[in-house]
Amino acid sequence: MLEWIGAACFMVLMAILWPVVKCFGAESHSTLLLPRRDSKRSAERCDSKLEGQGESDTVALICKPSALANYLLKHCMSFCKSLSIPKWNWRMSSSLQTVFGAFWPFECPVHFIRDHLQLSDDGLVALDWAVVGAAHHKRRRTSSNSTSPVLLIIPNSFGKITRNVLKLCEAALSHGYLPVIFNRRSQNGTPLCTVKLQQFGDPTDLREAVRYIRYRQPAGQIYAVSESTGSGLLLSYLGECGSSSYVTAAACLSPVFRCQSWFENGPTWPFHWALLLYQKICLSRYKTVLGELVHTDSLFSSCSLKSMEEALFCHSGLKGTTEGAGSWEVYWERNDPLRDIDEVAIPVLCVCSQDDPVRGDPQTTLPLELFESNPHFFLLLTLHGGHCGFSTSDEGPIVWSHQAALEFFRATTDFFAAEERAKLAARRRGLGGAGKTFRHRSVSTCKRLPVCSHNIHAIYNWQRSYTR
């Protein structure tokens, strides 16, 4: 209830300040940020703009030129769709876009079947499988014989299931996917069975969940979409697992890249306050049991996201244990989503807006050098859209960012299939491996041993997974 009261107060505040936002906010972001066009980098970047468009409604694809990039520009229609919004429309406000995507009620026909997965340390995470129909209360298990692709959805790190996530589930079902939402320990009604919370960039729990999904759906490809700060977990997982991630392609919607700096500086104050309040409300349910691990007085009196994260996971808040102890800097050495970014071995699309009020200034928060130099990463950058918003005045049943992600998955799959057919044809002609393909380049060159073992039956007993 408190979160709804807070959201209502925020909406009233933004309605009062709307004229100021319209006059100053829109003018301050009148041109699209693009990498510098100098001779040194001109051969290492690729950006697309619609001919005849002004700078105000540009959609740019920023990436390193490659055969896959050219294929995406040709086959992903949403990459070239104009996102022009009339200046009088409320969607010009990035704050209203963000609140709309996060809190606005949505009567969705999608229902969820929950699987509780018991982990190797006896903790629990929840997998919510999206289904359509009124009989959602009945026990239903996904069929291991299905060849439908699985869409793994990772919500924000605070566990809030937003309107945006529900819309994505609906769009995925209409495109033939099996959507499943990954819920961390203690989040979204998941029981906290161990005195342990998941650190920001620790992919251990997600790794076991992906293996279980692979076990349940061995014939279906796995795609992954993350929202907001949940992208930190997805990027950490892809970096640690490399070519053993089981994921075909991934998309990050409004990701936060420089997470340590984001926690230290925080988003703009209304969103900072809202996120801090929401996390305190969620953790208050476990106040007694968390008292065995952290100093709850410091935890619930914290006035910033940084102090709360420190109280939960760093030495200043630990109580009677050395597990996970360390300074703030040491914590982010283990949890920075970009720590193993060079080991990512699949195509990753990042959809961002320049006016994102949660991520912050694009000049300092977007690692453009990553997209210019790494052929696996693609940045789809818009001028407007807020944080996980991307609502347009002529919007259809599918949000533009969701359409872009689903088209990206289809195009990359088709591209890989065409490359594989070309390679097999070349072998039949006796040419062998004469030509290099994108798939060859996507194999991880990690020097350490892979952390993801394929022999899942020798490690886990899947009978520990049950449904409530």
mmCIF file of all heavy atoms in Angstrom, residues 408-437:
data_model
loop_
_atom_site.group_PDB
_atom_site.id
_atom_site.type_symbol
_atom_site.label_atom_id
_atom_site.label_comp_id
_atom_site.label_asym_id
_atom_site.label_seq_id
_atom_site.Cartn_x
_atom_site.Cartn_y
_atom_site.Cartn_z
ATOM 1 N N PHE A 408 15.269 -8.881 -32.587
ATOM 2 C CA PHE A 408 16.698 -9.167 -32.445
ATOM 3 C C PHE A 408 16.936 -10.661 -32.250
ATOM 4 O O PHE A 408 17.841 -11.246 -32.865
ATOM 5 C CB PHE A 408 17.250 -8.376 -31.260
ATOM 6 C CG PHE A 408 18.684 -8.664 -30.919
ATOM 7 C CD1 PHE A 408 19.716 -8.169 -31.694
ATOM 8 C CD2 PHE A 408 18.997 -9.439 -29.803
ATOM 9 C CE1 PHE A 408 21.037 -8.431 -31.370
ATOM 10 C CE2 PHE A 408 20.314 -9.705 -29.475
ATOM 11 C CZ PHE A 408 21.338 -9.196 -30.266
ATOM 12 N N PHE A 409 16.132 -11.303 -31.415
ATOM 13 C CA PHE A 409 16.275 -12.739 -31.196
ATOM 14 C C PHE A 409 16.013 -13.520 -32.484
ATOM 15 O O PHE A 409 16.752 -14.450 -32.816
ATOM 16 C CB PHE A 409 15.323 -13.203 -30.093
ATOM 17 C CG PHE A 409 15.635 -12.642 -28.741
ATOM 18 C CD1 PHE A 409 14.630 -12.488 -27.783
ATOM 19 C CD2 PHE A 409 16.918 -12.266 -28.403
ATOM 20 C CE1 PHE A 409 14.907 -11.978 -26.544
ATOM 21 C CE2 PHE A 409 17.217 -11.748 -27.163
ATOM 22 C CZ PHE A 409 16.202 -11.594 -26.224
ATOM 23 N N ARG A 410 14.951 -13.163 -33.174
ATOM 24 C CA ARG A 410 14.628 -13.869 -34.422
ATOM 25 C C ARG A 410 15.731 -13.679 -35.468
ATOM 26 O O ARG A 410 16.145 -14.643 -36.128
ATOM 27 C CB ARG A 410 13.292 -13.345 -34.974
ATOM 28 C CG ARG A 410 12.922 -13.935 -36.335
ATOM 29 C CD ARG A 410 11.691 -13.272 -36.912
ATOM 30 N NE ARG A 410 11.793 -11.827 -36.929
ATOM 31 C CZ ARG A 410 12.500 -11.143 -37.831
ATOM 32 N NH1 ARG A 410 13.177 -11.777 -38.770
ATOM 33 N NH2 ARG A 410 12.543 -9.822 -37.778
ATOM 34 N N ALA A 411 16.231 -12.448 -35.593
ATOM 35 C CA ALA A 411 17.245 -12.172 -36.609
ATOM 36 C C ALA A 411 18.564 -12.884 -36.296
ATOM 37 O O ALA A 411 19.202 -13.438 -37.200
ATOM 38 C CB ALA A 411 17.465 -10.665 -36.727
ATOM 39 N N THR A 412 18.981 -12.874 -35.034
ATOM 40 C CA THR A 412 20.230 -13.559 -34.693
ATOM 41 C C THR A 412 20.115 -15.063 -34.899
ATOM 42 O O THR A 412 21.060 -15.711 -35.370
ATOM 43 C CB THR A 412 20.620 -13.264 -33.235
ATOM 44 O OG1 THR A 412 19.518 -13.563 -32.367
ATOM 45 C CG2 THR A 412 21.028 -11.821 -33.063
ATOM 46 N N THR A 413 18.951 -15.623 -34.565
ATOM 47 C CA THR A 413 18.743 -17.059 -34.779
ATOM 48 C C THR A 413 18.804 -17.391 -36.269
ATOM 49 O O THR A 413 19.456 -18.370 -36.669
ATOM 50 C CB THR A 413 17.394 -17.492 -34.193
ATOM 51 O OG1 THR A 413 17.353 -17.167 -32.802
ATOM 52 C CG2 THR A 413 17.195 -18.986 -34.365
ATOM 53 N N ASP A 414 18.139 -16.591 -37.089
ATOM 54 C CA ASP A 414 18.170 -16.816 -38.537
ATOM 55 C C ASP A 414 19.577 -16.651 -39.085
ATOM 56 O O ASP A 414 20.009 -17.399 -39.972
ATOM 57 C CB ASP A 414 17.215 -15.854 -39.242
ATOM 58 C CG ASP A 414 15.759 -16.133 -38.904
ATOM 59 O OD1 ASP A 414 15.476 -17.230 -38.387
ATOM 60 O OD2 ASP A 414 14.913 -15.249 -39.159
ATOM 61 N N PHE A 415 20.306 -15.671 -38.565
ATOM 62 C CA PHE A 415 21.669 -15.442 -39.031
ATOM 63 C C PHE A 415 22.572 -16.630 -38.707
ATOM 64 O O PHE A 415 23.337 -17.102 -39.547
ATOM 65 C CB PHE A 415 22.227 -14.167 -38.391
ATOM 66 C CG PHE A 415 23.649 -13.861 -38.767
ATOM 67 C CD1 PHE A 415 23.941 -13.227 -39.964
ATOM 68 C CD2 PHE A 415 24.694 -14.215 -37.933
ATOM 69 C CE1 PHE A 415 25.251 -12.935 -40.312
ATOM 70 C CE2 PHE A 415 26.008 -13.934 -38.268
ATOM 71 C CZ PHE A 415 26.290 -13.294 -39.466
ATOM 72 N N PHE A 416 22.480 -17.139 -37.478
ATOM 73 C CA PHE A 416 23.283 -18.296 -37.096
ATOM 74 C C PHE A 416 22.928 -19.516 -37.939
ATOM 75 O O PHE A 416 23.808 -20.289 -38.343
ATOM 76 C CB PHE A 416 23.086 -18.614 -35.613
ATOM 77 C CG PHE A 416 23.717 -17.623 -34.689
ATOM 78 C CD1 PHE A 416 23.196 -17.427 -33.417
ATOM 79 C CD2 PHE A 416 24.822 -16.898 -35.068
ATOM 80 C CE1 PHE A 416 23.773 -16.518 -32.552
ATOM 81 C CE2 PHE A 416 25.410 -15.988 -34.218
ATOM 82 C CZ PHE A 416 24.889 -15.794 -32.951
ATOM 83 N N ALA A 417 21.630 -19.702 -38.198
ATOM 84 C CA ALA A 417 21.206 -20.845 -39.010
ATOM 85 C C ALA A 417 21.756 -20.735 -40.422
ATOM 86 O O ALA A 417 22.213 -21.729 -41.003
ATOM 87 C CB ALA A 417 19.677 -20.928 -39.029
ATOM 88 N N ALA A 418 21.727 -19.527 -40.990
ATOM 89 C CA ALA A 418 22.270 -19.331 -42.331
ATOM 90 C C ALA A 418 23.774 -19.557 -42.359
ATOM 91 O O ALA A 418 24.312 -20.155 -43.304
ATOM 92 C CB ALA A 418 21.933 -17.926 -42.828
ATOM 93 N N GLU A 419 24.474 -19.096 -41.320
ATOM 94 C CA GLU A 419 25.917 -19.310 -41.235
ATOM 95 C C GLU A 419 26.250 -20.801 -41.129
ATOM 96 O O GLU A 419 27.205 -21.286 -41.739
ATOM 97 C CB GLU A 419 26.474 -18.564 -40.021
ATOM 98 C CG GLU A 419 26.492 -17.068 -40.168
ATOM 99 C CD GLU A 419 27.639 -16.588 -41.015
ATOM 100 O OE1 GLU A 419 28.787 -16.638 -40.544
ATOM 101 O OE2 GLU A 419 27.389 -16.177 -42.159
ATOM 102 N N GLU A 420 25.436 -21.506 -40.345
ATOM 103 C CA GLU A 420 25.675 -22.945 -40.186
ATOM 104 C C GLU A 420 25.431 -23.685 -41.500
ATOM 105 O O GLU A 420 26.199 -24.595 -41.865
ATOM 106 C CB GLU A 420 24.762 -23.494 -39.083
ATOM 107 C CG GLU A 420 25.097 -24.905 -38.644
ATOM 108 C CD GLU A 420 26.437 -25.000 -37.955
ATOM 109 O OE1 GLU A 420 26.898 -23.980 -37.410
ATOM 110 O OE2 GLU A 420 27.020 -26.095 -37.972
ATOM 111 N N ARG A 421 24.381 -23.294 -42.215
ATOM 112 C CA ARG A 421 24.124 -23.932 -43.508
ATOM 113 C C ARG A 421 25.244 -23.647 -44.491
ATOM 114 O O ARG A 421 25.662 -24.533 -45.253
ATOM 115 C CB ARG A 421 22.786 -23.437 -44.071
ATOM 116 C CG ARG A 421 21.562 -23.966 -43.341
ATOM 117 C CD ARG A 421 20.297 -23.701 -44.137
ATOM 118 N NE ARG A 421 20.079 -22.271 -44.342
ATOM 119 C CZ ARG A 421 19.359 -21.513 -43.533
ATOM 120 N NH1 ARG A 421 18.800 -22.051 -42.441
ATOM 121 N NH2 ARG A 421 19.177 -20.233 -43.796
ATOM 122 N N ALA A 422 25.745 -22.418 -44.479
ATOM 123 C CA ALA A 422 26.848 -22.064 -45.379
ATOM 124 C C ALA A 422 28.107 -22.854 -45.029
ATOM 125 O O ALA A 422 28.842 -23.302 -45.920
ATOM 126 C CB ALA A 422 27.117 -20.573 -45.313
ATOM 127 N N LYS A 423 28.342 -23.059 -43.739
ATOM 128 C CA LYS A 423 29.526 -23.816 -43.329
ATOM 129 C C LYS A 423 29.413 -25.278 -43.746
ATOM 130 O O LYS A 423 30.383 -25.877 -44.246
ATOM 131 C CB LYS A 423 29.702 -23.710 -41.814
ATOM 132 C CG LYS A 423 30.964 -24.380 -41.300
ATOM 133 C CD LYS A 423 31.171 -24.127 -39.823
ATOM 134 C CE LYS A 423 30.149 -24.842 -38.990
ATOM 135 N NZ LYS A 423 30.436 -24.733 -37.538
ATOM 136 N N LEU A 424 28.220 -25.866 -43.585
ATOM 137 C CA LEU A 424 28.026 -27.255 -43.993
ATOM 138 C C LEU A 424 28.145 -27.412 -45.508
ATOM 139 O O LEU A 424 28.715 -28.396 -46.001
ATOM 140 C CB LEU A 424 26.661 -27.748 -43.512
ATOM 141 C CG LEU A 424 26.489 -27.884 -41.993
ATOM 142 C CD1 LEU A 424 25.055 -28.276 -41.655
ATOM 143 C CD2 LEU A 424 27.468 -28.905 -41.433
ATOM 144 N N ALA A 425 27.624 -26.442 -46.236
ATOM 145 C CA ALA A 425 27.739 -26.497 -47.700
ATOM 146 C C ALA A 425 29.186 -26.397 -48.140
ATOM 147 O O ALA A 425 29.614 -27.079 -49.076
ATOM 148 C CB ALA A 425 26.911 -25.379 -48.326
ATOM 149 N N ALA A 426 29.943 -25.554 -47.431
ATOM 150 C CA ALA A 426 31.361 -25.419 -47.771
ATOM 151 C C ALA A 426 32.116 -26.710 -47.498
ATOM 152 O O ALA A 426 33.009 -27.102 -48.259
ATOM 153 C CB ALA A 426 31.967 -24.259 -46.987
ATOM 154 N N ARG A 427 31.754 -27.395 -46.432
ATOM 155 C CA ARG A 427 32.413 -28.659 -46.120
ATOM 156 C C ARG A 427 32.094 -29.712 -47.179
ATOM 157 O O ARG A 427 32.960 -30.505 -47.553
ATOM 158 C CB ARG A 427 31.968 -29.144 -44.742
ATOM 159 C CG ARG A 427 32.582 -28.367 -43.594
ATOM 160 C CD ARG A 427 32.094 -28.898 -42.260
ATOM 161 N NE ARG A 427 32.720 -28.206 -41.142
ATOM 162 C CZ ARG A 427 32.413 -28.416 -39.868
ATOM 163 N NH1 ARG A 427 31.469 -29.316 -39.581
ATOM 164 N NH2 ARG A 427 33.020 -27.752 -38.909
ATOM 165 N N ARG A 428 30.852 -29.702 -47.645
ATOM 166 C CA ARG A 428 30.484 -30.666 -48.678
ATOM 167 C C ARG A 428 31.254 -30.407 -49.972
ATOM 168 O O ARG A 428 31.551 -31.324 -50.728
ATOM 169 C CB ARG A 428 28.985 -30.599 -48.947
ATOM 170 C CG ARG A 428 28.127 -31.081 -47.789
ATOM 171 C CD ARG A 428 26.683 -31.254 -48.214
ATOM 172 N NE ARG A 428 25.814 -31.557 -47.088
ATOM 173 C CZ ARG A 428 25.061 -30.660 -46.464
ATOM 174 N NH1 ARG A 428 25.070 -29.398 -46.876
ATOM 175 N NH2 ARG A 428 24.296 -31.013 -45.456
ATOM 176 N N ARG A 429 31.559 -29.148 -50.227
ATOM 177 C CA ARG A 429 32.323 -28.818 -51.424
ATOM 178 C C ARG A 429 33.820 -29.010 -51.223
ATOM 179 O O ARG A 429 34.611 -28.737 -52.128
ATOM 180 C CB ARG A 429 32.060 -27.366 -51.827
ATOM 181 C CG ARG A 429 30.624 -27.108 -52.297
ATOM 182 C CD ARG A 429 30.527 -25.768 -53.005
ATOM 183 N NE ARG A 429 30.979 -24.681 -52.145
ATOM 184 C CZ ARG A 429 30.173 -23.937 -51.378
ATOM 185 N NH1 ARG A 429 28.869 -24.205 -51.354
ATOM 186 N NH2 ARG A 429 30.660 -22.957 -50.650
ATOM 187 N N GLY A 430 34.187 -29.425 -50.014
ATOM 188 C CA GLY A 430 35.603 -29.672 -49.748
ATOM 189 C C GLY A 430 36.375 -28.452 -49.324
ATOM 190 O O GLY A 430 37.602 -28.488 -49.272
ATOM 191 N N LEU A 431 35.653 -27.372 -48.997
ATOM 192 C CA LEU A 431 36.352 -26.159 -48.602
ATOM 193 C C LEU A 431 36.676 -26.139 -47.119
ATOM 194 O O LEU A 431 37.462 -25.319 -46.674
ATOM 195 C CB LEU A 431 35.495 -24.940 -48.952
ATOM 196 C CG LEU A 431 35.210 -24.757 -50.443
ATOM 197 C CD1 LEU A 431 34.364 -23.507 -50.643
ATOM 198 C CD2 LEU A 431 36.501 -24.660 -51.223
ATOM 199 N N GLY A 432 36.023 -27.022 -46.370
ATOM 200 C CA GLY A 432 36.307 -27.139 -44.942
ATOM 201 C C GLY A 432 36.053 -25.839 -44.225
ATOM 202 O O GLY A 432 35.036 -25.194 -44.403
ATOM 203 N N GLY A 433 37.011 -25.402 -43.432
ATOM 204 C CA GLY A 433 36.860 -24.184 -42.637
ATOM 205 C C GLY A 433 37.492 -22.994 -43.282
ATOM 206 O O GLY A 433 38.166 -22.210 -42.613
ATOM 207 N N ALA A 434 37.350 -22.846 -44.587
ATOM 208 C CA ALA A 434 37.992 -21.748 -45.288
ATOM 209 C C ALA A 434 37.455 -20.400 -44.848
ATOM 210 O O ALA A 434 38.161 -19.415 -44.847
ATOM 211 C CB ALA A 434 37.809 -21.900 -46.800
ATOM 212 N N GLY A 435 36.174 -20.358 -44.511
ATOM 213 C CA GLY A 435 35.592 -19.071 -44.132
ATOM 214 C C GLY A 435 35.301 -19.011 -42.645
ATOM 215 O O GLY A 435 34.858 -19.979 -42.046
ATOM 216 N N LYS A 436 35.576 -17.869 -42.058
ATOM 217 C CA LYS A 436 35.282 -17.664 -40.650
ATOM 218 C C LYS A 436 33.890 -17.093 -40.505
ATOM 219 O O LYS A 436 33.450 -16.288 -41.308
ATOM 220 C CB LYS A 436 36.299 -16.701 -40.021
ATOM 221 C CG LYS A 436 37.710 -17.270 -39.969
ATOM 222 C CD LYS A 436 38.649 -16.302 -39.282
ATOM 223 C CE LYS A 436 40.057 -16.879 -39.196
ATOM 224 N NZ LYS A 436 40.981 -15.934 -38.532
ATOM 225 N N THR A 437 33.193 -17.504 -39.495
ATOM 226 C CA THR A 437 31.827 -17.038 -39.278
ATOM 227 C C THR A 437 31.725 -16.388 -37.914
ATOM 228 O O THR A 437 32.608 -16.518 -37.062
ATOM 229 C CB THR A 437 30.833 -18.218 -39.340
ATOM 230 O OG1 THR A 437 31.105 -19.084 -38.236
ATOM 231 C CG2 THR A 437 30.958 -18.968 -40.642
#
